[in-house]
Amino acid sequence: MTLLAIIIILFAGGIIAWLSERYLQKGGRWISLVSLLLAALLLVNYWSYLGTPQSVSGGPWWDSLQAAWIPRFGISFHLAVDGLSFLMLTLTIAMGIFGLVMTWNDINFRRGFFYFNFLWTLAGVVGVFTAIDLFLFFFFWEVMLIPMLFLIAVWGYEKRIYAAIKFFIFTQASSLLMLIAIVGLAYIHYRNSGQLTFNYNELLGAELTANAAYWLMLGFFIAFIVKLPALPFHTWLPDAHTQAPTAGSILLAAILLKTGAYGLLRFNLPLFPESSMAFAPVAMTIGAISVIYGAMLAFAQRDMKRLVAYSSVSHMGFVLLGLYALDTIAVQGAVMQMIAHGLSTAALFALVGALQHRLHTRDMQQLGGVWAILPKLSAVALFFAIASLGLPGLGNFVAEFTVLVGSFRSNHWITALAAIGLIGAALYALLMMQRVFFGKLRNQFESPSESGDTADLSLRESCALLSLALLLVVIGLRPQPIFNISEPTVTQAIAEIKAVAPDQNLLSSQSQRQEILISTGDKSP
Amino acid sequence: MNAQELFGILPLLLVSAGIVILLLQVSFWRGHVGALATTIITLVLAGISCFWVAGTLSTGASSIQVTGLLLVDHTSLFFALLLLLTAIAVCIMGYSYLRMRCNPKVNSGSYPEEFYILLLLAMLGATTLVFASHFATFFLGLELISLALYPMLGFAVNGDLSPQKEQLQSLESAIKYLLLSALSTALGLFGIALIYSASGSLSFSGIASHMTELSQTSTLFATGVTLLLISVAFKLSLVPFHIWTPDVYQGAPTPTTALIATVGKGAVIGFLLRFFSTLDLYESQVLIDMLSIAAVASMLVGNLLALMQTNIKRLLAYSSIGHIGYLIVAFIIGKSTFGTEAVIYYLVAYIITTLGAFAVVGLIADSVEEKVLNGEYPENPTLNSENPYQCDFYRGLLWRSPWLAGCMAAMLLSLAGIPLTIGFIGKFYIFTAGIEGQLWILLASVVIGSALGLFYYLRLLLIMVQRDNIVTEEPSGSVQIATSGNLLLIILTGALLVFGIFPQLLINWINAL
């Protein structure tokens, strides 16, 4: 029931925020904050599961809720949460609160409708991370798009309509392929077993011919890597990110991109183990190329938001690489990268947004020497830029290092190629720092005539940003608790794959041993 | 003809009685509201009688054969009920349309009551068509719809209060439809003649009994069915028989457009389902191939051409071509019970959504027309943003009239097949049907068509939320519509959401057939 309550609170909060616009001028943001805090409180319910070993709780799911929805097709309203979902839910709610607090005063018109869309996007994402019925998953997958579309199209910057339509058509057209794959999977299962169902747990056992599985896998894969985004389908991302309002960029970068990675790990790998294994080299190559290509393009940008957007392509390439290394350590790294990238990129977008709010530009050729007028903001930006390039001691380093270590055993050459991307990351992150914050102050910013405009970070913004920074440090220094939470899901997914590959027993036992090393690491305090 | 047979066609009898009563009523006492009331009462009674007949059907025999011409069964009763409900919505739209444009108090040459007589005639044709089990009733029904539609298409001329341009376009659309419809009828008749000469029978069951010797050998029969299909494809505006659609949709009074887009197509689909399943034409590969080609072409051409439209009625016309293309995908696998269910569900979704979209467009145009007649608005708008049929008029509508724009947005999302709306479940049915029949090429076209469709639906949706003119926001920018219109929109939007979120309700009804 807790899961349903979270989703209902977010949906209802959105509607109330919209309706209240007429009576409370700025009430919408308080209503949003209260609903998000309530959702966070509900999430704390699951705290008790964190310590318990998996065998005690019985089955992989911590909590689930099932109700008949469309019995005609064997579709049920089935939500469930496990370690991976819990991590993603926490990230979602936390980034929701962060985005809301960072843009507390930014929205000047149609506030009610803005907070409506903001909360509905979050509600859709919560649904995506907890839906266990494939039809329900697709339902939420679509529900989160429409409010996001409005966020970009109404409150975005200059080319917002173009960006919004591009974003929507890319994700929607690809998700239709996924819908066909979902229905195809359910239909084949129905033909084999006589039972029509969209339940994930039952479809896991579907018997597919190799050919059918490969095509179905591709249907899912394309939908997920469009969202991720990986190389051939990434072009919507820079536009959407750049044109979206700050809060929208934060949601996109921190949460929406993660739904693609989550889908790959939750659905693609366990549902189609054989074909995923056959496809792994291709997917890893796409991941590695995305890493390098994203870094190169980020390096070439003038617009700060585009730079951060392309850096996302690069970072999510690591996720793809790690997931398809089909190795427990690499997948664990990918999960860590999802979280670390969520935190650091959300902060970077928030900072670029704050900078634009104050200086009215995000063109790096017009900026320079900002440190002199905005010291606090610049220092925080330095921290997150360095986090993003993967400085040891911060979350991103742990994530990227683990991905590379894990993938190296699967495929040396591709991993080596991807590692080059780390150099690119250092280049673009430092270049951005140098161009924007160091150097000589440009004339037009020298005399802060409108003193209110160029005020440094307020207490509210500082607190929000510093708490993210703190989180990154904590994750960087002590990542083991997070590995422990996601471990059951990851090992199960990998076990499914190893089960179909007897010839790789050697590799499997090797990774088992590594796993034990990692999971025993924290038992000794 | 015994009592049970008479009882079986009670909906038809009630509609006929309504026509006679309305004719008498109008000849003695003219009154717009009175005519509307009689029409709605007739339609409601006919609708209730559908339930009544269905109730006796479920206790006794599963179908009633009435004189070899009509066959009443659960499916046809469902279609009849659906079409009658649609007609009630069209009535309400018609009232809103005629109230200002056809006002006898302003111009004594206005006769708004005739609209309802024609509407009932068209409904008599449509219900006959879905009950038809013989080519005589098929032809009667089809022609009754068309004959009633010609004057309805040209109805803007009545009363002479509509703008000159609207009257001209209305006449144009009537003439176009008349000519092309006559041509298609001729083809259809020729087809029926060929079928008769090949099989020696005009009733569907009679032809079906000869099917075993006919199906493979007779070119005569195949040609006949093909010609008949062409005539039907014209009514459904399947590509390449779609040329008339945009012009007719654009020029006609909006309620008539809604009628032709929903009842005109729904009745024909009802007939096709019965015709194909009685004769088991799904076995004929040639026919299925032809239908497939028409479906692919409709999805692609309809959606591609819709991309280029700025007139919202033309846009909806092209989009409806695409939607009938989707529907044919489900129709092709119709031999299974699932295919029939998918066709009916998609048709319901299509009717609710199309009706809603045209209702919003029509009601907005009516409120603008009211201002024109009161002299508050330019009669011949030069700017696109002042013409209520242009997309530009809808710029920022969400901020001016949030409620109307919300309804329109729901309709557009449903047309685009986004979850929470009935259109999504409809599309889900199409996908499931396509996968069951393993029609991969058709499915690929559905995906491409939907992606193209998204583009223009979204463009319109985003035009509605554009924030540009919030500075110049004036109270006069808002659109006020009548209570009856609001009620209609509430019901349609409610149905769209309820059946979108809880589709099982509707599925149960369809399966209870």
Side-chain angles (χ1 to χ4, degrees), chain B residues 97-98 102 111-116 118 150-159 162 170-171 174 253 256:
Chain B
Y97 178 86
L98 295 169
C102 204
Y111 304 108
E113 299 85 357
E114 272 72 351
F115 183 86
Y116 302 100
L118 292 168
Y150 306 141
M152 284 178 89
L153 287 169
F155 214 80
V157 188
N158 191 327
S162 307
S170 178
L171 273 182
T256 315

Side-chain angles (χ1 to χ4, degrees), chain A residues 1-8 46 49 60-69 75-82 85 126-127 129-134 136-137 140 198-201:
Chain A
M1 282 315 281
T2 319
L3 293 173
L4 185 63
I6 293 177
I7 293 177
I8 288 180
Y46 292 119
Y49 290 94
W61 307 111
W62 294 358
D63 183 20
S64 68
L65 168 84
Q66 186 165 16
W69 184 23
I75 294 168
S76 56
F77 189 85
H78 192 176
L79 301 174
V81 64
D82 67 352
S85 303
V126 169
F129 285 142
T130 51
I132 280 308
D133 188 281
L134 261 69
L136 186 67
F137 171 76
F140 280 122
F198 282 80
N199 190 330
Y200 170 74
N201 294 326

